[in-house]
Short mmCIF file of all heavy atoms in Angstrom, two decimals:
data_model
loop_
_atom_site.label_atom_id
_atom_site.label_comp_id
_atom_site.label_asym_id
_atom_site.label_seq_id
_atom_site.Cartn_x
_atom_site.Cartn_y
_atom_site.Cartn_z
N ALA U 1 -10.17 -6.37 -6.12
CA ALA U 1 -9.18 -6.38 -7.19
C ALA U 1 -7.85 -6.89 -6.66
O ALA U 1 -7.44 -6.54 -5.56
CB ALA U 1 -9.01 -4.98 -7.76
N LEU U 2 -7.22 -7.74 -7.44
CA LEU U 2 -5.92 -8.28 -7.04
C LEU U 2 -4.83 -7.27 -7.40
O LEU U 2 -4.90 -6.61 -8.43
CB LEU U 2 -5.62 -9.60 -7.75
CG LEU U 2 -6.48 -10.80 -7.37
CD1 LEU U 2 -6.10 -12.00 -8.22
CD2 LEU U 2 -6.32 -11.13 -5.91
N CYS U 3 -3.83 -7.21 -6.54
CA CYS U 3 -2.67 -6.36 -6.84
C CYS U 3 -1.87 -7.00 -7.95
O CYS U 3 -1.71 -8.23 -8.01
CB CYS U 3 -1.80 -6.20 -5.59
SG CYS U 3 -2.60 -5.25 -4.29
N VAL U 4 -1.34 -6.17 -8.84
CA VAL U 4 -0.54 -6.69 -9.95
C VAL U 4 0.87 -7.05 -9.47
O VAL U 4 1.27 -6.66 -8.37
CB VAL U 4 -0.47 -5.65 -11.11
CG1 VAL U 4 -1.85 -5.37 -11.68
CG2 VAL U 4 0.18 -4.37 -10.63
N SER U 5 1.60 -7.76 -10.30
CA SER U 5 2.99 -8.12 -9.97
C SER U 5 3.79 -6.87 -9.67
O SER U 5 3.62 -5.84 -10.32
CB SER U 5 3.63 -8.87 -11.15
OG SER U 5 2.96 -10.07 -11.39
N GLY U 6 4.65 -6.97 -8.64
CA GLY U 6 5.47 -5.83 -8.23
C GLY U 6 4.81 -4.99 -7.14
O GLY U 6 5.42 -4.08 -6.61
N THR U 7 3.55 -5.33 -6.81
CA THR U 7 2.84 -4.62 -5.75
C THR U 7 2.26 -5.60 -4.76
O THR U 7 2.17 -6.80 -5.03
CB THR U 7 1.70 -3.73 -6.32
OG1 THR U 7 0.69 -4.58 -6.87
CG2 THR U 7 2.21 -2.77 -7.38
N TYR U 8 1.82 -5.08 -3.61
CA TYR U 8 1.23 -5.94 -2.60
C TYR U 8 0.15 -5.16 -1.85
O TYR U 8 0.08 -3.94 -1.90
CB TYR U 8 2.29 -6.44 -1.60
CG TYR U 8 2.77 -5.37 -0.66
CD1 TYR U 8 2.30 -5.32 0.66
CD2 TYR U 8 3.66 -4.38 -1.06
CE1 TYR U 8 2.71 -4.33 1.52
CE2 TYR U 8 4.08 -3.39 -0.21
CZ TYR U 8 3.60 -3.37 1.09
OH TYR U 8 4.00 -2.38 1.95
N SER U 9 -0.69 -5.90 -1.16
CA SER U 9 -1.71 -5.31 -0.30
C SER U 9 -1.61 -6.00 1.05
O SER U 9 -1.35 -7.20 1.12
CB SER U 9 -3.10 -5.53 -0.90
OG SER U 9 -4.08 -5.01 -0.04
N SER U 10 -1.77 -5.25 2.14
CA SER U 10 -1.59 -5.83 3.46
C SER U 10 -2.61 -6.92 3.76
O SER U 10 -2.39 -7.75 4.63
CB SER U 10 -1.62 -4.75 4.53
OG SER U 10 -2.83 -4.04 4.47
N SER U 11 -3.73 -6.94 3.06
CA SER U 11 -4.69 -8.03 3.21
C SER U 11 -5.42 -8.25 1.90
O SER U 11 -5.56 -7.34 1.09
CB SER U 11 -5.70 -7.73 4.33
OG SER U 11 -6.43 -6.57 4.03
N GLN U 12 -5.88 -9.48 1.69
CA GLN U 12 -6.56 -9.83 0.42
C GLN U 12 -7.79 -8.96 0.23
O GLN U 12 -8.52 -8.68 1.18
CB GLN U 12 -6.97 -11.31 0.44
CG GLN U 12 -5.81 -12.28 0.31
CD GLN U 12 -5.27 -12.35 -1.10
OE1 GLN U 12 -5.73 -11.69 -2.00
NE2 GLN U 12 -4.24 -13.16 -1.28
N GLY U 13 -8.04 -8.54 -0.99
CA GLY U 13 -9.23 -7.82 -1.32
C GLY U 13 -9.21 -6.32 -1.07
O GLY U 13 -10.20 -5.65 -1.31
N GLN U 14 -8.11 -5.81 -0.56
CA GLN U 14 -8.03 -4.36 -0.35
C GLN U 14 -7.92 -3.65 -1.68
O GLN U 14 -7.31 -4.17 -2.62
CB GLN U 14 -6.81 -4.01 0.51
CG GLN U 14 -7.12 -3.88 1.98
CD GLN U 14 -5.97 -3.20 2.72
OE1 GLN U 14 -4.83 -3.30 2.32
NE2 GLN U 14 -6.30 -2.53 3.80
N ALA U 15 -8.47 -2.46 -1.75
CA ALA U 15 -8.45 -1.70 -3.00
C ALA U 15 -7.10 -1.05 -3.24
O ALA U 15 -6.72 -0.79 -4.36
CB ALA U 15 -9.54 -0.65 -2.97
N PHE U 16 -6.35 -0.77 -2.17
CA PHE U 16 -5.08 -0.06 -2.31
C PHE U 16 -3.92 -1.04 -2.40
O PHE U 16 -3.78 -1.92 -1.56
CB PHE U 16 -4.85 0.87 -1.11
CG PHE U 16 -3.53 1.58 -1.16
CD1 PHE U 16 -3.34 2.65 -2.02
CD2 PHE U 16 -2.48 1.17 -0.36
CE1 PHE U 16 -2.11 3.30 -2.07
CE2 PHE U 16 -1.25 1.82 -0.42
CZ PHE U 16 -1.07 2.88 -1.27
N CYS U 17 -3.11 -0.89 -3.42
CA CYS U 17 -1.90 -1.70 -3.59
C CYS U 17 -0.68 -0.77 -3.52
O CYS U 17 -0.72 0.33 -4.05
CB CYS U 17 -1.90 -2.41 -4.93
SG CYS U 17 -3.27 -3.57 -5.12
N ALA U 18 0.36 -1.23 -2.88
CA ALA U 18 1.59 -0.45 -2.74
C ALA U 18 2.71 -1.16 -3.49
O ALA U 18 2.72 -2.40 -3.61
CB ALA U 18 1.97 -0.31 -1.28
N ASN U 19 3.65 -0.39 -3.99
CA ASN U 19 4.85 -0.96 -4.63
C ASN U 19 5.65 -1.71 -3.60
O ASN U 19 5.79 -1.29 -2.47
CB ASN U 19 5.72 0.14 -5.24
CG ASN U 19 5.17 0.68 -6.54
OD1 ASN U 19 4.37 0.03 -7.19
ND2 ASN U 19 5.60 1.85 -6.91
N CYS U 20 6.22 -2.84 -4.00
CA CYS U 20 7.16 -3.56 -3.14
C CYS U 20 8.36 -2.65 -2.90
O CYS U 20 8.84 -1.99 -3.83
CB CYS U 20 7.63 -4.84 -3.80
SG CYS U 20 6.35 -6.11 -3.91
N PRO U 21 8.85 -2.56 -1.66
CA PRO U 21 10.01 -1.71 -1.40
C PRO U 21 11.28 -2.27 -2.02
O PRO U 21 11.33 -3.42 -2.42
CB PRO U 21 10.10 -1.71 0.13
CG PRO U 21 9.33 -2.87 0.60
CD PRO U 21 8.33 -3.21 -0.46
N SER U 22 12.30 -1.42 -2.12
CA SER U 22 13.57 -1.88 -2.66
C SER U 22 14.08 -3.04 -1.82
O SER U 22 13.84 -3.11 -0.61
CB SER U 22 14.59 -0.74 -2.70
OG SER U 22 14.80 -0.23 -1.41
N GLY U 23 14.77 -3.96 -2.44
CA GLY U 23 15.26 -5.17 -1.76
C GLY U 23 14.26 -6.30 -1.75
O GLY U 23 14.52 -7.38 -1.23
N THR U 24 13.06 -6.05 -2.32
CA THR U 24 12.02 -7.09 -2.38
C THR U 24 11.41 -7.11 -3.78
O THR U 24 11.67 -6.26 -4.61
CB THR U 24 10.91 -6.80 -1.36
OG1 THR U 24 10.21 -5.61 -1.74
CG2 THR U 24 11.46 -6.65 0.06
N TYR U 25 10.56 -8.13 -4.01
CA TYR U 25 9.87 -8.26 -5.29
C TYR U 25 8.58 -9.05 -5.10
O TYR U 25 8.38 -9.71 -4.07
CB TYR U 25 10.76 -8.98 -6.31
CG TYR U 25 10.98 -10.45 -5.98
CD1 TYR U 25 10.22 -11.43 -6.62
CD2 TYR U 25 11.91 -10.83 -5.03
CE1 TYR U 25 10.40 -12.77 -6.29
CE2 TYR U 25 12.09 -12.17 -4.71
CZ TYR U 25 11.34 -13.13 -5.35
OH TYR U 25 11.51 -14.45 -5.03
N ALA U 26 7.69 -8.97 -6.07
CA ALA U 26 6.47 -9.78 -6.11
C ALA U 26 6.28 -10.24 -7.55
O ALA U 26 6.05 -9.42 -8.43
CB ALA U 26 5.26 -8.99 -5.65
N ASN U 27 6.43 -11.56 -7.79
CA ASN U 27 6.36 -12.05 -9.17
C ASN U 27 5.02 -12.69 -9.51
O ASN U 27 4.90 -13.40 -10.48
CB ASN U 27 7.52 -13.01 -9.46
CG ASN U 27 7.51 -14.22 -8.55
OD1 ASN U 27 6.63 -14.38 -7.71
ND2 ASN U 27 8.49 -15.09 -8.71
N SER U 28 4.00 -12.44 -8.68
CA SER U 28 2.66 -12.93 -9.00
C SER U 28 1.65 -11.90 -8.51
O SER U 28 1.98 -10.97 -7.79
CB SER U 28 2.42 -14.28 -8.34
OG SER U 28 2.54 -14.19 -6.93
N THR U 29 0.41 -12.06 -8.93
CA THR U 29 -0.64 -11.12 -8.55
C THR U 29 -1.27 -11.53 -7.22
O THR U 29 -1.22 -12.70 -6.84
CB THR U 29 -1.73 -11.05 -9.63
OG1 THR U 29 -2.27 -12.35 -9.82
CG2 THR U 29 -1.17 -10.53 -10.94
N GLY U 30 -1.85 -10.56 -6.53
CA GLY U 30 -2.62 -10.84 -5.32
C GLY U 30 -1.82 -11.17 -4.09
O GLY U 30 -2.35 -11.79 -3.16
N VAL U 31 -0.55 -10.77 -4.01
CA VAL U 31 0.26 -11.11 -2.85
C VAL U 31 0.00 -10.11 -1.71
O VAL U 31 -0.36 -8.96 -1.94
CB VAL U 31 1.77 -11.18 -3.17
CG1 VAL U 31 2.04 -12.25 -4.21
CG2 VAL U 31 2.29 -9.83 -3.62
N THR U 32 0.15 -10.61 -0.47
CA THR U 32 -0.05 -9.75 0.70
C THR U 32 1.28 -9.32 1.31
O THR U 32 1.29 -8.54 2.25
CB THR U 32 -0.89 -10.47 1.77
OG1 THR U 32 -0.29 -11.71 2.09
CG2 THR U 32 -2.31 -10.72 1.27
N GLU U 33 2.36 -9.84 0.80
CA GLU U 33 3.68 -9.35 1.20
C GLU U 33 4.69 -9.65 0.09
O GLU U 33 4.50 -10.60 -0.68
CB GLU U 33 4.14 -9.96 2.53
CG GLU U 33 4.34 -11.46 2.52
CD GLU U 33 4.75 -12.01 3.87
OE1 GLU U 33 4.64 -11.29 4.87
OE2 GLU U 33 5.20 -13.15 3.92
N CYS U 34 5.70 -8.85 0.02
CA CYS U 34 6.72 -9.02 -1.01
C CYS U 34 7.80 -9.98 -0.51
O CYS U 34 8.02 -10.09 0.70
CB CYS U 34 7.34 -7.67 -1.35
SG CYS U 34 6.12 -6.49 -1.96
N SER U 35 8.46 -10.65 -1.43
CA SER U 35 9.53 -11.58 -1.08
C SER U 35 10.87 -10.85 -1.03
O SER U 35 11.12 -9.96 -1.85
CB SER U 35 9.61 -12.69 -2.13
OG SER U 35 8.39 -13.37 -2.21
N GLN U 36 11.70 -11.24 -0.09
CA GLN U 36 13.05 -10.68 0.02
C GLN U 36 13.91 -11.22 -1.12
O GLN U 36 13.77 -12.37 -1.51
CB GLN U 36 13.70 -11.07 1.35
CG GLN U 36 13.08 -10.44 2.56
CD GLN U 36 13.39 -8.95 2.66
OE1 GLN U 36 14.48 -8.52 2.30
NE2 GLN U 36 12.43 -8.18 3.14
N CYS U 37 14.80 -10.39 -1.63
CA CYS U 37 15.76 -10.87 -2.63
C CYS U 37 16.68 -11.92 -1.99
O CYS U 37 17.04 -11.80 -0.81
CB CYS U 37 16.60 -9.71 -3.15
SG CYS U 37 15.66 -8.54 -4.16
N LEU U 38 17.02 -12.91 -2.75
CA LEU U 38 17.89 -13.97 -2.26
C LEU U 38 19.32 -13.45 -2.14
O LEU U 38 19.70 -12.50 -2.81
CB LEU U 38 17.87 -15.15 -3.22
CG LEU U 38 16.53 -15.87 -3.36
CD1 LEU U 38 16.59 -16.92 -4.45
CD2 LEU U 38 16.11 -16.49 -2.04
N PRO U 39 20.14 -14.10 -1.28
CA PRO U 39 21.54 -13.71 -1.19
C PRO U 39 22.20 -13.75 -2.56
O PRO U 39 21.95 -14.65 -3.36
CB PRO U 39 22.17 -14.77 -0.26
CG PRO U 39 21.00 -15.24 0.57
CD PRO U 39 19.80 -15.18 -0.36
N GLY U 40 23.01 -12.73 -2.84
CA GLY U 40 23.66 -12.64 -4.14
C GLY U 40 22.84 -11.88 -5.17
O GLY U 40 23.26 -11.71 -6.31
N THR U 41 21.64 -11.46 -4.77
CA THR U 41 20.81 -10.66 -5.66
C THR U 41 20.36 -9.41 -4.92
O THR U 41 20.41 -9.34 -3.70
CB THR U 41 19.56 -11.43 -6.15
OG1 THR U 41 18.69 -11.67 -5.03
CG2 THR U 41 19.93 -12.74 -6.79
N SER U 42 19.90 -8.42 -5.68
CA SER U 42 19.42 -7.18 -5.07
C SER U 42 18.38 -6.56 -5.98
O SER U 42 18.20 -6.97 -7.13
CB SER U 42 20.58 -6.21 -4.84
OG SER U 42 21.08 -5.76 -6.08
N GLN U 43 17.68 -5.58 -5.45
CA GLN U 43 16.74 -4.81 -6.25
C GLN U 43 16.68 -3.39 -5.70
O GLN U 43 16.05 -3.15 -4.67
CB GLN U 43 15.34 -5.45 -6.22
CG GLN U 43 14.32 -4.75 -7.08
CD GLN U 43 14.83 -4.42 -8.47
OE1 GLN U 43 15.27 -3.31 -8.75
NE2 GLN U 43 14.81 -5.42 -9.36
N PRO U 44 17.40 -2.46 -6.34
CA PRO U 44 17.44 -1.10 -5.82
C PRO U 44 16.15 -0.32 -6.03
O PRO U 44 15.90 0.68 -5.37
CB PRO U 44 18.60 -0.46 -6.61
CG PRO U 44 18.66 -1.27 -7.87
CD PRO U 44 18.23 -2.67 -7.51
N ASN U 45 15.30 -0.78 -6.96
CA ASN U 45 14.08 -0.05 -7.29
C ASN U 45 12.87 -0.63 -6.57
O ASN U 45 12.88 -1.77 -6.12
CB ASN U 45 13.85 -0.10 -8.80
CG ASN U 45 15.01 0.50 -9.56
OD1 ASN U 45 15.48 1.58 -9.23
ND2 ASN U 45 15.49 -0.22 -10.55
N THR U 46 11.79 0.15 -6.51
CA THR U 46 10.53 -0.32 -5.92
C THR U 46 9.61 -0.85 -7.01
O THR U 46 9.78 -0.55 -8.19
CB THR U 46 9.83 0.81 -5.16
OG1 THR U 46 9.52 1.85 -6.09
CG2 THR U 46 10.72 1.36 -4.04
N GLY U 47 8.63 -1.64 -6.62
CA GLY U 47 7.62 -2.13 -7.56
C GLY U 47 8.12 -3.10 -8.59
O GLY U 47 7.65 -3.11 -9.72
N GLN U 48 9.06 -3.97 -8.21
CA GLN U 48 9.68 -4.86 -9.18
C GLN U 48 9.15 -6.29 -9.07
O GLN U 48 8.63 -6.70 -8.04
CB GLN U 48 11.20 -4.84 -9.01
CG GLN U 48 11.81 -3.47 -9.20
CD GLN U 48 11.53 -2.92 -10.59
OE1 GLN U 48 11.86 -3.54 -11.59
NE2 GLN U 48 10.93 -1.72 -10.64
N THR U 49 9.32 -7.05 -10.15
CA THR U 49 8.83 -8.43 -10.21
C THR U 49 9.95 -9.47 -10.06
O THR U 49 9.69 -10.66 -10.08
CB THR U 49 8.09 -8.69 -11.53
OG1 THR U 49 8.99 -8.43 -12.62
CG2 THR U 49 6.87 -7.78 -11.66
N SER U 50 11.19 -9.00 -9.93
CA SER U 50 12.33 -9.93 -9.75
C SER U 50 13.50 -9.15 -9.19
O SER U 50 13.48 -7.93 -9.13
CB SER U 50 12.72 -10.57 -11.10
OG SER U 50 13.18 -9.58 -11.99
N CYS U 51 14.51 -9.88 -8.78
CA CYS U 51 15.76 -9.28 -8.29
C CYS U 51 16.83 -9.50 -9.35
O CYS U 51 16.70 -10.36 -10.22
CB CYS U 51 16.18 -9.90 -6.97
SG CYS U 51 14.98 -9.59 -5.65
N ILE U 52 17.89 -8.72 -9.26
CA ILE U 52 18.98 -8.84 -10.23
C ILE U 52 20.23 -9.35 -9.53
O ILE U 52 20.41 -9.12 -8.33
CB ILE U 52 19.25 -7.50 -10.93
CG1 ILE U 52 19.51 -6.38 -9.90
CG2 ILE U 52 18.12 -7.13 -11.86
CD1 ILE U 52 19.85 -5.03 -10.50
N SER U 53 21.06 -10.04 -10.26
CA SER U 53 22.30 -10.58 -9.68
C SER U 53 23.23 -9.43 -9.31
O SER U 53 23.37 -8.46 -10.05
CB SER U 53 23.01 -11.49 -10.68
OG SER U 53 22.22 -12.63 -10.92
N CYS U 54 23.86 -9.57 -8.15
CA CYS U 54 24.83 -8.58 -7.73
C CYS U 54 26.08 -8.71 -8.59
O CYS U 54 26.45 -9.84 -8.96
CB CYS U 54 25.23 -8.78 -6.27
SG CYS U 54 23.88 -8.47 -5.11
N PRO U 55 26.72 -7.60 -8.92
CA PRO U 55 27.99 -7.70 -9.68
C PRO U 55 29.04 -8.41 -8.84
O PRO U 55 29.06 -8.27 -7.62
CB PRO U 55 28.36 -6.26 -9.96
CG PRO U 55 27.60 -5.46 -8.96
CD PRO U 55 26.37 -6.24 -8.59
N VAL U 56 29.89 -9.13 -9.50
CA VAL U 56 30.98 -9.83 -8.82
C VAL U 56 31.99 -8.79 -8.36
O VAL U 56 32.42 -7.96 -9.14
CB VAL U 56 31.63 -10.88 -9.73
CG1 VAL U 56 32.82 -11.51 -9.04
CG2 VAL U 56 30.62 -11.92 -10.15
N GLN U 57 32.33 -8.86 -7.10
CA GLN U 57 33.32 -7.93 -6.57
C GLN U 57 34.46 -8.71 -5.93
O GLN U 57 34.25 -9.75 -5.34
CB GLN U 57 32.70 -7.02 -5.51
CG GLN U 57 31.63 -6.10 -6.05
CD GLN U 57 31.05 -5.22 -4.97
OE1 GLN U 57 31.22 -5.47 -3.80
NE2 GLN U 57 30.36 -4.18 -5.39
N ILE U 58 35.65 -8.16 -6.07
CA ILE U 58 36.81 -8.75 -5.40
C ILE U 58 37.08 -7.91 -4.17
O ILE U 58 37.28 -6.72 -4.25
CB ILE U 58 38.04 -8.77 -6.34
CG1 ILE U 58 37.74 -9.61 -7.58
CG2 ILE U 58 39.28 -9.27 -5.60
CD1 ILE U 58 38.83 -9.53 -8.64
N VAL U 59 37.02 -8.57 -3.02
CA VAL U 59 37.25 -7.88 -1.77
C VAL U 59 38.59 -8.31 -1.21
O VAL U 59 38.86 -9.49 -1.05
CB VAL U 59 36.12 -8.19 -0.74
CG1 VAL U 59 36.37 -7.48 0.57
CG2 VAL U 59 34.77 -7.82 -1.32
N LEU U 60 39.43 -7.34 -0.94
CA LEU U 60 40.75 -7.63 -0.38
C LEU U 60 40.74 -7.31 1.10
O LEU U 60 40.35 -6.22 1.50
CB LEU U 60 41.83 -6.80 -1.08
CG LEU U 60 41.99 -7.03 -2.58
CD1 LEU U 60 43.05 -6.08 -3.14
CD2 LEU U 60 42.38 -8.47 -2.86
N TYR U 61 41.15 -8.26 1.90
CA TYR U 61 41.25 -8.05 3.34
C TYR U 61 42.73 -7.89 3.69
O TYR U 61 43.55 -8.74 3.37
CB TYR U 61 40.67 -9.23 4.09
CG TYR U 61 39.18 -9.35 3.93
CD1 TYR U 61 38.63 -10.20 2.97
CD2 TYR U 61 38.32 -8.60 4.73
CE1 TYR U 61 37.26 -10.30 2.79
CE2 TYR U 61 36.94 -8.69 4.56
CZ TYR U 61 36.43 -9.54 3.61
OH TYR U 61 35.07 -9.63 3.45
N VAL U 62 43.05 -6.78 4.31
CA VAL U 62 44.43 -6.55 4.71
C VAL U 62 44.47 -6.62 6.24
O VAL U 62 43.79 -5.88 6.92
CB VAL U 62 44.90 -5.16 4.22
CG1 VAL U 62 46.34 -4.89 4.68
CG2 VAL U 62 44.80 -5.07 2.70
N SER U 63 45.27 -7.51 6.73
CA SER U 63 45.43 -7.63 8.17
C SER U 63 46.10 -6.39 8.75
O SER U 63 47.01 -5.84 8.14
CB SER U 63 46.25 -8.88 8.51
OG SER U 63 46.61 -8.86 9.88
N GLU U 64 45.64 -5.99 9.91
CA GLU U 64 46.26 -4.79 10.54
C GLU U 64 47.70 -5.07 10.94
O GLU U 64 48.43 -4.18 11.24
CB GLU U 64 45.43 -4.34 11.72
CG GLU U 64 45.33 -5.39 12.84
CD GLU U 64 44.46 -4.93 13.99
OE1 GLU U 64 44.91 -4.04 14.72
OE2 GLU U 64 43.34 -5.43 14.12
N TYR U 65 48.07 -6.34 10.93
CA TYR U 65 49.44 -6.71 11.33
C TYR U 65 50.36 -6.86 10.13
O TYR U 65 51.54 -7.07 10.29
CB TYR U 65 49.43 -7.99 12.14
CG TYR U 65 48.57 -7.89 13.38
CD1 TYR U 65 47.36 -8.56 13.48
CD2 TYR U 65 48.97 -7.10 14.46
CE1 TYR U 65 46.58 -8.44 14.62
CE2 TYR U 65 48.17 -6.96 15.59
CZ TYR U 65 46.98 -7.65 15.65
OH TYR U 65 46.20 -7.52 16.77
N SER U 66 49.80 -6.76 8.92
CA SER U 66 50.62 -6.90 7.73
C SER U 66 51.32 -5.58 7.43
O SER U 66 50.67 -4.53 7.35
CB SER U 66 49.78 -7.28 6.53
OG SER U 66 49.22 -8.55 6.70
N PRO U 67 52.63 -5.61 7.24
CA PRO U 67 53.31 -4.36 6.86
C PRO U 67 52.95 -4.02 5.42
O PRO U 67 52.86 -4.89 4.57
CB PRO U 67 54.80 -4.72 6.99
CG PRO U 67 54.83 -6.21 6.87
CD PRO U 67 53.54 -6.73 7.40
N LEU U 68 52.66 -2.78 5.18
CA LEU U 68 52.35 -2.33 3.84
C LEU U 68 53.52 -1.58 3.26
O LEU U 68 54.01 -0.63 3.87
CB LEU U 68 51.10 -1.41 3.86
CG LEU U 68 49.80 -2.07 4.32
CD1 LEU U 68 48.70 -1.03 4.36
CD2 LEU U 68 49.42 -3.19 3.36
N GLY U 69 53.95 -1.93 2.07
CA GLY U 69 54.98 -1.20 1.35
C GLY U 69 56.35 -1.60 1.71
O GLY U 69 57.31 -1.08 1.30
#
């Protein structure tokens, strides 16, 4: 039996399928390993068929030499 999308088996034809771990996905059946989410995407849940876009964040870098206030 082939593993369904979102799951994988360590080798083809195994009866046991495991959910893809968080940070990975499987968008087709019968995969032996899950794909890593691409940069800019993430997947906090297990057993998923795709990754989601990361929210846009504004990161401020303050130099240790900059006077504050």
